[in-house]
Amino acid sequence: DMKKSLLILVCLMLSLTGVAQERKFSPEKFEADLEAFITKEAKLNESEAAKFFPLFREMHQKQRSIYMKMRNYGKEKPATADACAAAIRNRDKLNMELSQLEQTYHKKMMQVVSPSKVYDAIRAESNFHRQMMKGWQMPRPNGWQMPRGGMQRPRGKRP
């Protein structure tokens, strides 16, 4: 009957909307999950976390501004060889700024928690990002795999 079909359709649409909202990226949730993961992996107690994470967030905020500048150099290829060389020099300069920024903040972090815990936090952040990227991998066509060398078709099968 029509009412029943309409009700089923509405319920289906609401459930699909709920699934889509769950999959939507939330920077706040990502940050909270990252900090929880680092806290656990680096075994930071409450006091250490309270000293460590303000520096960690500050470093990330400054890194983001450098990444934004770097992204501008990748948008369009400059028209001349001289402009390409200048863009490369500017990108290299930004990479050095990024390294110096990390070095500065790592020193600050080691003043508030032990170097061992800073080391563990750096590794934990890297592992967290790696795990998140694995979760975001795009689905591949049937039979396709992503080995270390890139996407390859299974042997003996032709699409």
Side-chain angles (χ1 to χ4, degrees):
D1 109 298
M2 185 71 160
K3 286 184 180 182
K4 194 173 189 179
S5 297
L6 185 60
L7 181 63
I8 291 171
L9 181 63
V10 169
C11 289
L12 181 62
M13 290 177 71
L14 287 173
S15 67
L16 289 175
T17 303
V19 169
Q21 287 175 348
E22 284 178 28
R23 295 192 66 134
K24 198 179 284 187
F25 179 74
S26 164
E28 295 81 15
K29 181 173 177 3
F30 181 86
E31 189 79 20
D33 290 347
L34 172 61
E35 290 184 12
F37 188 81
I38 290 172
T39 300
K40 180 179 172 241
E41 294 296 308
K43 296 175 180 67
L44 297 174
N45 63 36
E46 271 187 54
S47 172
E48 291 168 328
K51 295 173 191 170
F52 177 82
F53 284 113
L55 292 170
F56 182 79
R57 289 183 210 111
E58 189 177 303
M59 178 181 76
H60 276 219
Q61 185 179 7
K62 291 180 180 181
Q63 284 175 323
R64 274 191 287 278
S65 72
I66 294 172
Y67 287 135
M68 295 301 287
K69 291 176 190 174
M70 289 173 89
R71 193 164 55 176
N72 290 334
Y73 289 111
K75 285 188 177 180
E76 286 187 34
K77 182 178 178 180
T80 67
D82 286 343
C84 284
I88 292 168
R89 283 191 298 274
N90 285 332
R91 187 173 170 85
D92 289 347
K93 182 180 171 191
L94 290 170
N95 272 320
M96 290 175 66
E97 278 183 44
L98 203 52
S99 290
Q100 289 171 344
L101 178 72
E102 285 180 345
Q103 185 178 25
T104 299
Y105 275 88
H106 291 162
K107 285 179 184 176
K108 289 180 180 183
M109 290 172 187
M110 287 189 291
Q111 291 173 352
V112 297
V113 298
S114 74
S116 176
K117 290 193 178 194
V118 173
Y119 181 88
D120 290 342
I122 293 168
R123 285 188 58 196
E125 180 184 13
S126 178
N127 289 339
F128 180 83
H129 289 294
R130 193 174 301 113
Q131 287 178 13
M132 292 302 289
M133 293 303 286
K134 283 181 183 178
W136 291 336
Q137 286 180 351
M138 305 248 314
R140 294 176 190 31
N142 285 341
W144 287 74
Q145 299 173 357
M146 182 66 88
R148 291 178 193 229
M151 197 154 201
Q152 297 175 353
R153 187 176 53 226
R155 295 178 196 265
K157 293 183 181 178
R158 298 269 176 198

